[in-house]
Amino acid sequence: MKPIKVGLLGLGTVGTGVVRIVEGHQEDLSSQVGSPIIIEKIAVKNTEKERSVAVDNAKLTDNPLDVIRDPEIDVVVEVMGGIEQTKEYILEALDRGKHIVTANKDLMALHGAEILAKAQEKQCDVFYEASVAGGIPIIRTLIEGFSSDRIMKIMGIVNGTTNFILTKMSQEGASYEDVLAEAQQLGYAEADPTSDVEGLDAARKMAILGTLGFRTNVELKDVSVKGISQVSKEDILYAKRLGYEMKLLGIADREDEQVSISVQPTMVRTSHPIASVNGVFNAVYVYGEAVGETMFYGPGAGELPTATSVVADLVAVIKNLKLGVNGLKAIVPYKAKKLKSDEQINYKNFILLHVADKAGVLAQITQVFAEYGVSLESVVQQPNDQNPDAEIIIVTHNASKASMDKVLSHFESLEAIRRIKSVYRVEG
Ligand code: NDP
Ligand code: HSE
């Protein structure tokens, strides 16, 4: 049996896992695809670096073009990250008829449409299961498992680093900075962890999920994004006291054909299954018109979980090669995109205000909500020894984003409101 030769771009956290799985599971893998799988060449930045997995030094190169232009290589596995230059490498590899497996959500969220179009033209596969939610096969699930349904809502914890941070802050009272450093050390965080904590990584993943789920071309600019860097231990405590967990949630939903996609720290009611997803684990909740509620759970980052998805894609490419059906499975969005306006985006809100502790203030506040048609679920004033002002916690019923923006900007002008301390979306 002629071996299938694979070129690897990157031998970091994920690349190392790919080598371990391809070598460690070789017997099973080759039985499934009918050929041995050989990692023929590996591009890295520094060929001298000590590696945590044994690789033949002769296979290493510091030039990705050595991999892409090697006529022996059938499949290029891209796990080095990067956007513009990496896109050029992938497009050239496709031009040369090579199939692509990538874990790169940055690349797929920004240039997925162009890459998939080129793949179709060249009859090549481009699979990217590991790009969203690491070890959870959510992309295959959306494309195949839900092909018969209309997906109405996708709600996910899709960033392992931030879930790891929020969990440790919530359960151990750990500091944000210490937990971020631990996530970096464990290989969960991106090379620049700002994209994790500011929500950009999750936004890119939600653009990919939204595109697949709604079959329309959701772009990164369509996703409204807020990260966790402003979330305080105090906010997490308030959430707990009211029966919520704080999670960085990606939420994509649609009504008729209008969609909205956002990423933000969200207070999730503890009775919702997504509230108990902790640590580096991810979960994606999918609501289909016919199937109803479903949820998919698993590790969202890290060496072996991510590599499991990468190698599963590799198996799928090779099976397609054997059947001669590569390039037929790319999902090209076919629906025109219609984004919801701020008047159409509705959700519950948690608001923590520091206000002057005197008569009539509560009446002023409720008057503002009434003026913009926002109905309230609960209003609680609680004492806080550390704070001479009164603290008022308000949870609204579903309210439009447009109305809430008006309420908050009106609050800015009220003298009695000393500070709008926190505002969070509420789910569940
Ligand atoms: P790492 O930083 O650990 O590894 C990157 C690898 O790519 C390194 O081996 C590096 O070489 C090599 N590399 C980087 N730039 C170049 C270049 N220009 N030319 C040649 N080699 C290069 O990243 P990860 O393994 O964590 O992530 C890889 C990809 O997978 C990213 O797109 C990431 O977003 C995605 N991903 C990561 C997950 C995770 O849990 N870590 C989970 C899901 C997706 P050298 O070793 O010499 O420095
Ligand atoms: N930095 C990402 C995360 C890696 O923490 O989820 C997985 O995509």
Side-chain angles (χ1 to χ4, degrees), residues 103 105 130-134 158-163 183 187-191 195-196 201-202 205 280 282 300-302 306:
K105 57 268 170 165
S131 67
V132 181
V158 289
N159 182 271
T161 302
T162 46
N163 205 43
Y188 302 154
E190 294 304 299
S195 71
D196 293 294
D201 177 80
K205 291 165 174 168
V280 72
N282 282 190
T306 310

Side-chain angles (χ1 to χ4, degrees), residues 2 61 70 95 108 114 119 139 226 233 238 276 282 294 309 316 320 328 335 343 346 351 354 357 360 370 374 390 415:
K2 186 174 167 277
T61 169
D70 183 336
D95 266 328
M108 291 311 290
E114 182 182 352
I139 290 184
K226 198 170 162 206
K233 279 191 201 173
Y238 274 116
S276 54
N282 282 190
T294 61
S309 290
N320 284 351
L328 299 180
K335 287 192 175 170
E343 283 74 22
N346 284 285
I351 304 146
H354 290 182
D357 198 359
V374 176
E415 212 207 315

